[in-house]
Amino acid sequence: MSERKVLTKYYPPDFDPSKIVRSRGPKQVGPKLQTVRLMAPFSMKCTSCGEYIYKGRKFNARKETTDEKYYSIAILRFYIRCTRCSAEITFKTDPKNMDYACERGAKRNFEPWRDQSAKEETEEERLDRLEQEEEEKNAMVELETKTLDAKREMQIADALDEIRTRNARIERGEGLGDVAVTRDVRDEQKEREEREIEEAARRAFETEEGEKVKRFVDLDEEENGTDGKVSTGPLAGKAAETKVDTIVPTFKKVVKKKKDLSAALGIKKKPGLV
């Protein structure tokens, strides 16, 4: 590799540059060939050695433009060699099926257009297929209608059961009239309980002789001679101040005085200078 990087080349002593003549080689006869790098477009099996060549295997192939055409699309041919026995394998483009067709030297493992040809159907087969599809659609519609009918029947059965239970309850005397009667009975019981509570409260505020226990406010009003009337004047405020002796709670923090323990410990305090 180093000799191609030198600036000067070696010329032997008998070198004569005049003997070097430029000449053109013979023109290529036949179709033009071009070397290209490609990958195998399909998986194939070599017919000479049985080697399997998977799809995507890279090859240095020769590309040839043939005289065949599909409408105005030129058909190309490629030449590759087997990786095991070096046998020549050729395949060409197939614009009609949008694929490649194997020509010589190998056999394709799978040919998709064979399935397409098998799928080609006549008018009778097409009509049979359409009839079958219609039957399948009708079967699905029938299944949907059956499910809807089943749901509707279940709803009707639930409604009938509810009506039957309601009729049975009315026949047993547990209808709407009895419900109203029970409500009236409950209201009467509630009123009776309230009256009993009021009577117990009234008895609690009476003495054994039947006299009514008076409140302190009523007694104060009787002593003042107001009989429930509000007195006005300068003496009314003083009377109210003297009689109303309410304890107002305070929430101030009470600070406890610390005990002087210096005498117990035998510590004598010095008298102050001032």
Side-chain angles (χ1 to χ4, degrees):
M1 296 295 292
S2 60
E3 60 270 11
R4 67 181 181 84
K5 295 182 180 180
V6 296
L7 298 175
T8 58
K9 304 290 184 182
Y10 172 74
Y11 297 100
D14 55 350
F15 174 71
D16 188 3
S18 61
K19 292 180 180 179
I20 300 173
V21 180
R22 290 185 179 182
S23 61
R24 293 183 179 180
K27 289 185 179 181
Q28 187 176 359
V29 181
K32 186 179 180 181
L33 292 174
Q34 184 181 358
T35 304
V36 293
R37 182 78 170 173
L38 58 79
M39 291 187 291
F42 50 82
S43 59
M44 64 188 84
K45 178 184 178 182
C46 180
T47 54
S48 59
C49 66
E51 177 71 10
Y52 284 95
I53 300 171
Y54 58 86
K55 182 180 178 180
R57 183 75 179 266
K58 291 184 178 180
F59 292 95
N60 291 325
R62 290 175 295 148
K63 184 176 74 172
E64 177 186 351
T65 305
T66 61
D67 298 333
E68 301 176 11
K69 285 188 178 181
Y70 177 75
Y71 294 106
S72 60
I73 302 169
I75 295 175
L76 304 176
R77 183 179 286 111
F78 297 93
Y79 298 88
I80 60 173
R81 292 193 175 273
C82 177
T83 55
R84 184 178 179 183
C85 63
S86 299
E88 192 175 53
I89 299 170
T90 61
F91 56 89
K92 62 181 180 179
T93 57
D94 187 6
K96 183 178 180 180
N97 298 316
M98 293 182 291
D99 205 346
Y100 292 84
C102 191
E103 281 188 323
R104 179 170 50 86
K107 183 180 178 182
R108 187 166 182 173
N109 296 335
F110 174 71
E111 294 178 350
W113 58 83
R114 288 186 178 179
D115 291 345
Q116 292 178 2
S117 62
K119 288 180 181 177
E120 290 180 0
E121 54 188 2
T122 60
E123 292 182 359
E124 295 179 358
E125 292 176 353
R126 189 180 297 109
L127 290 173
D128 294 338
R129 182 174 55 81
L130 293 173
E131 288 178 0
Q132 189 176 0
E133 289 178 358
E134 287 292 332
E135 289 176 358
E136 290 178 356
K137 288 181 181 178
N138 294 333
M140 292 298 293
V141 172
E142 289 178 1
L143 182 61
E144 290 178 358
T145 52
K146 284 181 180 179
T147 53
L148 291 173
D149 292 340
K151 288 181 181 178
R152 196 179 297 110
E153 288 177 0
M154 290 174 66
Q155 292 175 358
I156 292 168
D158 293 339
L160 287 172
D161 291 338
E162 188 177 354
I163 291 167
R164 287 170 183 168
T165 53
R166 191 185 303 162
N167 293 335
R169 191 169 59 249
I170 291 168
E171 289 176 359
R172 289 196 306 269
E174 298 178 358
L176 299 173
D178 293 341
V179 173
V181 171
T182 52
R183 287 179 181 173
D184 295 338
V185 171
R186 288 176 184 173
D187 293 338
E188 290 178 0
Q189 289 178 356
K190 191 173 183 182
E191 290 177 359
R192 194 183 303 111
E193 289 176 358
E194 289 178 356
R195 286 198 298 270
E196 289 177 358
I197 291 168
E198 290 177 358
E199 186 68 21
R202 186 177 61 78
R203 289 175 183 174
F205 289 101
E206 286 184 355
T207 59
E208 294 178 356
E209 298 175 357
E211 294 181 358
K212 187 177 180 181
V213 179
K214 295 183 179 180
R215 296 178 296 175
F216 290 107
V217 178
D218 296 338
L219 293 172
D220 294 340
E221 288 176 355
E222 288 179 0
E223 289 176 2
N224 294 330
T226 55
D227 295 334
K229 297 180 181 179
V230 179
S231 62
T232 58
L235 299 174
K238 292 181 180 179
E241 289 177 0
T242 55
K243 288 180 181 179
V244 177
D245 188 10
T246 58
I247 300 171
V248 180
T250 59
F251 299 97
K252 292 183 179 180
K253 189 176 180 181
V254 178
V255 181
K256 294 182 180 180
K257 294 183 179 180
K258 294 182 179 180
K259 295 181 179 180
D260 191 5
L261 301 174
S262 58
L265 297 172
I267 301 170
K268 293 181 179 181
K269 288 186 178 181
K270 293 182 180 180
L273 299 174
V274 180

